[in-house]
Amino acid sequence: MDPRCGGHWESSSEDVTRSLLPLHDITADGDARRSSCPPLVASLLANGYLSIAAGPLAAALICALVDLGPEHAAARNMLGVLAWVFIWWITDAVPLAVASMAPLFLFPVFGVSSADAVAKAYMDDVISLVLGSFILALAIEHYNIHRRLALNITSLFCGDPVKPALLLLGICGTTMFISMWIHNTPCTVMMMPVATGILQRLPGDAAAGADAREFRRFSKAVVLGVVYASAIGGMATLTGTGANIILVGMWSTYFPEQEPITFSSWMSFGLPMSLLLFAALWATLCLMYCSSNTGRALSAYLDRTHLRRELSLLGPMAFAEKMVLAVFGGLIVLWMTRSITDDIPGWSVLFHGNVGDGTVTIMMATLLFIIPSGKSDGEKLMDWAKCRRLQWHIVLLLGAGFAIADGFKTSGLTDILAGWLGFLRGAPALAVAPVACVFSGLITEFTSDDATTTLVLPLLAELGRSVGVHPLLLMVPGAVGAQLSYLLPTGSPGNSVGFSTGYVTIKDMVVTGMPIKIVGVAALTLLLPTLGVAVFGMDQKV
């Protein structure tokens, strides 16, 4: 996942990345090189017009040079549209939201699908789930519930004297838990000030000798722990990251006759996967950044008193906070009980299966605009002014992903891909699944996890059909692999947030992230043919 796919709630993702990444001075050589460019070329580069033109140029070349046969003109055009959209996504030629709206005019113009058909992909139950979750997350942020929770749990794990391993467990565990219920990017943005606030108690460069080294190592562990725990927690639920949402949407698009992936069914698989990754994260941080002297060095500057002082400044929990927590807790219960097992169908049976996870999410979010805040007459827990920071670019990106999935199907491109992948028939599924995860995991280090998921899932769905295995045996590894973006600052907005603090380097991210990434692939290889088969019914024929 890259910085274009998320960011602080208050601004667009592009603004966040540019403000958080370190700014480097332009050298004299750089000025000389720039001045040597012709004015027209310099203007085109400065305004990004070359990147903008690269999209339609790629589409034109594909439409002119690729020959899939006269009966597959729509499929050829679909390839051109894909190239156009993905180049704009990858190069950031236009804002992410604008690039994500491109299918709304490209599909009808290129004859892929009608205007009505592509527009419908931008609003379904999955999009409702995301919108409602964003509104609830804004309410949690507005009333500082996330900060109160973080300080409570972290002070519980601090220890007296300080136990670095337990403190890391508290910080990372809190981050993971919060990220399970809101998007991992805002979770990182919310938790990083809490984490760096703790680190600011340390003397940093003012310390000398071995203590200074211990402070630097522990600071790296805290920052990396927040970044990676946020990504790991998001993997556990459908609301934690866009990749899971895209998987659910594409599964229902390609295989509408199959049992849908629900919030509870995904959590039954995603939570154990996240817990294994979290254990690997904690062990890696403790082994690499904590020594026998770390606790002694930290105890002189960091204790529970600081955390409790920060907590006391928040004051007692107000009525509004309690009501937001009640609404959020009620939503979690509804998510978990909508569909339980075949023998215990859940409450959705009362509505003949007409309701979805998005239905109850919007319903509970609506309550926030009805329940009074208790602060003044007529004031509600939320008003639309507080929602001005909704991440519409994420919503539009998800809609674009669903539209592309529909385009693959309606244009006939899926049938062509199935023919191309026919040579893989007979390949062992358990050998192909880890390869799919690694393939997706490599791409996601350079582009967004959402864009990666959108790109690889249609291919993996057709690969599953060609190989003759259940498509989820490949689609789930593709979605999970897209979330294993741990190596580079460009891997995700959360990575950029951590890198911008100045506590970590790219080398730190690579060295720490690589073992976690390897464990992720191994955990998927272990859980998918066992727990995954039971949860998703992958032993049944599609």
Side-chain angles (χ1 to χ4, degrees):
M1 181 172 171
D2 74 3
R4 293 179 292 279
C5 283
H8 197 284
W9 292 100
E10 197 167 14
S11 61
S12 69
S13 56
E14 294 86 349
D15 294 335
V16 172
T17 305
R18 290 166 184 164
S19 64
L20 287 173
L21 287 176
L23 300 176
H24 301 284
D25 294 331
I26 300 174
T27 63
D29 293 340
D31 289 334
R33 285 194 299 269
R34 181 171 295 180
S35 62
S36 64
C37 294
L40 178 60
V41 175
S43 177
L44 291 175
L45 290 173
N47 292 283
Y49 286 125
L50 294 182
S51 298
I52 294 172
L57 178 61
L61 290 175
I62 289 174
C63 292
L65 302 178
V66 174
D67 184 14
L68 300 178
E71 70 278 11
H72 295 302
R76 179 203 61 203
N77 293 347
M78 180 65 197
L79 283 176
V81 170
L82 276 177
W84 185 328
V85 174
F86 280 118
I87 286 175
W88 276 8
W89 274 344
I90 293 170
T91 62
D92 201 17
V94 296
L96 178 66
V98 177
S100 299
M101 289 190 293
L104 288 169
F105 69 87
L106 291 177
F107 280 25
V109 169
F110 280 77
V112 174
S113 60
S114 67
D116 286 340
V118 67
K120 289 178 181 177
Y122 281 76
M123 179 53 71
D124 61 10
D125 185 65
V126 174
I127 301 295
S128 301
L129 172 66
V130 175
L131 269 177
S133 300
F134 282 173
I135 293 174
L136 283 161
L138 286 173
I140 289 172
E141 179 189 7
H142 177 75
Y143 292 104
N144 269 328
I145 295 174
H146 65 286
R147 183 172 177 81
R148 186 184 297 276
L149 177 65
L151 290 173
N152 270 301
I153 297 180
T154 307
S155 64
L156 179 66
F157 283 87
C158 184
D160 191 12
V162 175
K163 297 178 177 60
L166 283 178
L167 182 55
L168 282 175
L169 181 63
I171 295 171
C172 296
T174 303
T175 305
M176 176 185 171
F177 179 78
I178 294 175
S179 184
M180 288 171 60
W181 312 111
I182 63 176
H183 198 277
N184 49 26
T185 298
C187 175
T188 307
V189 174
M190 290 176 184
M191 284 298 299
M192 194 59 71
V194 177
T196 54
I198 296 173
L199 298 179
Q200 287 169 1
R201 295 276 298 175
L202 306 178
D205 294 336
D211 283 356
R213 184 167 59 253
E214 295 296 340
F215 295 148
R216 286 194 298 269
R217 284 159 52 89
F218 185 74
S219 297
K220 293 178 187 290
V222 170
V223 171
L224 291 173
V226 169
V227 170
Y228 294 150
S230 180
I232 291 170
M235 190 181 296
T237 65
L238 293 184
T239 56
T241 180
N244 293 343
I245 296 291
I246 293 173
L247 170 64
V248 173
M250 289 198 176
W251 172 247
S252 62
T253 297
Y254 279 99
F255 307 98
E257 71 284 355
Q258 297 299 313
E259 189 72 21
I261 300 175
T262 65
F263 188 95
S264 57
S265 64
W266 176 261
M267 192 172 181
S268 299
F269 174 81
L271 183 58
M273 178 84 184
S274 292
L275 291 175
L276 288 175
L277 279 170
F278 181 79
L281 168 65
W282 185 51
T284 301
L285 294 177
C286 291
L287 290 174
M288 295 183 63
Y289 298 105
C290 295
S291 68
S292 57
N293 295 324
T294 305
R296 177 196 56 78
L298 294 176
S299 294
Y301 302 95
L302 182 64
D303 55 32
R304 285 177 174 169
T305 304
H306 165 68
L307 299 171
R308 288 171 177 167
R309 186 183 305 115
E310 292 289 328
L311 186 60
S312 65
L313 294 176
L314 295 177
M317 184 173 287
F319 172 80
E321 295 176 67
K322 295 176 181 177
M323 293 309 300
V324 170
L325 279 178
V327 171
F328 194 52
L331 176 58
I332 294 174
V333 172
L334 291 173
W335 275 341
M336 298 300 297
T337 58
R338 183 174 73 87
S339 179
I340 304 175
T341 65
D342 292 336
D343 298 327
I344 308 174
W347 57 263
S348 64
V349 71
L350 300 175
F351 301 93
H352 309 289
N354 290 327
V355 299
D357 289 328
T359 308
V360 294
T361 307
I362 293 296
M363 181 186 72
M364 299 302 283
T366 301
L367 291 179
L368 298 175
F369 298 86
I370 298 174
I371 300 174
S373 66
K375 293 184 177 181
S376 61
D377 292 340
E379 182 180 350
K380 307 300 191 295
L381 293 175
M382 287 289 285
D383 56 58
W384 194 247
K386 297 185 182 73
C387 296
R388 67 185 184 278
R389 296 179 295 166
L390 276 172
Q391 291 195 8
W392 290 109
H393 59 289
I394 296 293
V395 174
L396 291 170
L397 177 65
L398 296 175
F402 299 155
I404 289 173
D406 285 336
F408 264 84
K409 196 172 183 178
T410 58
S411 67
L413 188 57
T414 53
D415 298 330
I416 296 175
L417 291 175
W420 290 351
L421 297 172
F423 71 94
L424 292 172
R425 185 177 299 276
L430 297 184
V432 177
V435 173
C437 184
V438 172
F439 171 69
S440 182
L442 289 175
I443 296 176
T444 195
E445 296 295 347
F446 304 99
T447 186
S448 75
D449 60 349
D450 295 337
T452 300
T453 308
T454 303
L455 172 65
V456 303
L457 287 194
L459 302 178
L460 295 177
E462 294 308 317
L463 176 60
R465 283 173 169 166
S466 300
V467 175
V469 300
H470 197 288
L472 283 180
L473 279 171
L474 297 178
M475 294 177 73
V476 170
V480 170
Q483 299 172 62
L484 302 178
S485 51
Y486 303 145
L487 305 184
L488 299 174
T490 56
S492 73
N495 291 4
S496 298
V497 171
F499 183 73
S500 68
T501 63
Y503 287 106
V504 298
T505 64
I506 294 179
K507 180 181 178 181
D508 296 328
M509 299 186 70
V510 172
V511 172
T512 309
M514 184 60 73
I516 306 171
K517 192 156 188 159
I518 294 173
V519 170
V521 176
L524 178 74
T525 306
L526 173 68
L527 290 178
L528 192 63
T530 52
L531 179 62
V533 170
V535 170
F536 301 122
M538 291 187 290
D539 53 343
Q540 302 174 6
K541 186 176 180 62
V542 175

